Amino acid sequence: ESTSYALIAIINGCGILGRCSGYIADRFTGRFMIITICLLLMTLLSLVMWLPFGHSLKVLYAFSALFGAVCSSILSLVPVAMSQICRTEDFGKRFGLMYLMTALASLAVMPAGGAIIGNGGAKQYDNFIIYCSVLTFSAATSYITSRFFAVGTKRVKF
């Protein structure tokens, strides 16, 4: 608890690096692929670093740095990916609707996470990490599905 503010600062500081992912997305693989890769990396980081080694402060620092870079990539690319699949005149409506659905989902997802943690025992935190990993993996699956409906199975930069 005493280092929680430092971990948040590390997440936000390393998030600056993740904001450069737009260049990689435009140059090489496409926005949807970078978002999907980052969501899968978030899932992997949670299951490989946070779940087994979350009790170690050094691992938490490393996890925060990597997580911050990956998470900020997603945050910066979502609006661009949204503009890629809708017309310019519809962007505002669709962007607003997307974040309305996100806000409504958060009304259920966040209290459920709090209920999983409960009084904060070690086993509850492990369950919470698994819960977060399932959510990020399902988000990656949603992006893969969206990409499939937009371009099919073609290998294109999308």
Side-chain angles (χ1 to χ4, degrees), residues 21-22 24-26 29-37 77-84 143 157-158:
S21 61
I24 297 168
D26 289 342
T29 62
R31 296 161 189 101
F32 273 76
M33 282 305 295
I34 292 292
I35 292 172
T36 304
I37 290 167
L77 285 175
V78 166
V80 182
M82 169 68 75
S83 68
Q84 186 173 342
Y143 272 94
K157 186 176 16 172
F158 186 75

Side-chain angles (χ1 to χ4, degrees), residues 122-140:
K123 181 67 175 161
Q124 284 91 353
Y125 278 109
D126 288 349
N127 292 337
F128 176 72
I129 294 167
I130 293 168
Y131 174 70
C132 290
S133 300
V134 167
L135 289 176
T136 55
F137 184 76
S138 64

